[in-house]
Amino acid sequence: MNILRCTLSALATVACASAIAAPVTPTYDRFGTLPGATFGGSGIPNNAVAVKEFENGLTLGLTAHQRYVGPNLANDGAGTFFAPGGVSQQSPSPANPYALWNFAYYVSGLDTTSYSVRLLIDRDPAAGTDQAAHIGGAFSALPLIQDSWNLGMDFLEVGKAFDAFAAGEYTFALVAYSAAGAEMGRSAIRVVVGEPGNDVPEPATLALAGLALFGVAAANRRRRH
């Protein structure tokens, strides 16, 4: 068990104290490959990572990926991933139900004389979950910290069990704070989970649907004027 996991366990009934009242939205300097990131496993893709880089060498990265088997998660190229609902059949699931997908984090170059870093984790499938409702833990000053976690892990099941079948969205953020407690920057992603047994819409399909709705709205405006 790493230090962050111990910290999260200690925060079992409270939200992140450093959080402000606002939803988490995808945020990064660049979205793409993070060379050298393994997220503590083998075969975890590192080509769709929300990366934030600081002048003092601190690097933050967040991604989401399929758990063990199945195709890589689709994403919109802008920090939102699309995952199926359902329970993983890989141990310790389904006896201890895990989702079919994981979120993964990467922290490199953390100097605690300059920054502190906190991981914010959303367990509410409702859209727009307030940042203050996320659980969170702080990192220690290790040269490299990376791992891949599942919302079904026992130490993350704060207050109630995680429902891997629930459709909705989950947001995650790695936030860097100054020694005075001011936010200095963040990496943040969103995972949209579809109904079990249904295909999660591809980003291109979502984009076409958005364009269609935009066209209908424009036509309606023209008719009204």
Side-chain angles (χ1 to χ4, degrees), residues 3-131:
I3 293 173
L4 178 59
R5 187 173 300 193
C6 292
T7 305
L8 286 166
S9 298
L11 295 176
T13 59
V14 297
C16 175
S18 299
I20 59 175
V24 171
T25 58
T27 309
Y28 46 84
D29 286 338
R30 59 183 177 85
F31 186 81
T33 300
L34 181 55
T38 66
F39 304 106
S42 59
I44 299 174
N46 66 356
N47 61 350
V49 185
V51 181
K52 173 65 180 178
E53 296 171 313
F54 297 80
E55 291 182 355
N56 71 341
L58 175 63
T59 299
L60 307 178
L62 275 173
T63 190
H65 62 93
Q66 195 79 359
R67 183 171 188 262
Y68 284 117
V69 295
N72 292 337
L73 299 186
N75 69 83
D76 66 354
T80 296
F81 296 83
F82 305 96
V87 172
S88 170
Q89 298 302 301
Q90 303 293 319
S91 180
S93 190
N96 182 17
Y98 279 26
L100 294 168
W101 56 276
N102 281 16
F103 66 96
Y105 60 84
Y106 175 98
V107 180
S108 177
L110 176 58
D111 174 6
T112 55
T113 62
S114 302
Y115 295 114
S116 62
V117 174
R118 189 174 294 275
L119 173 63
L120 307 183
I121 302 170
D122 176 15
R123 296 186 65 254
D124 184 347
T129 303
D130 195 281
Q131 180 169 311

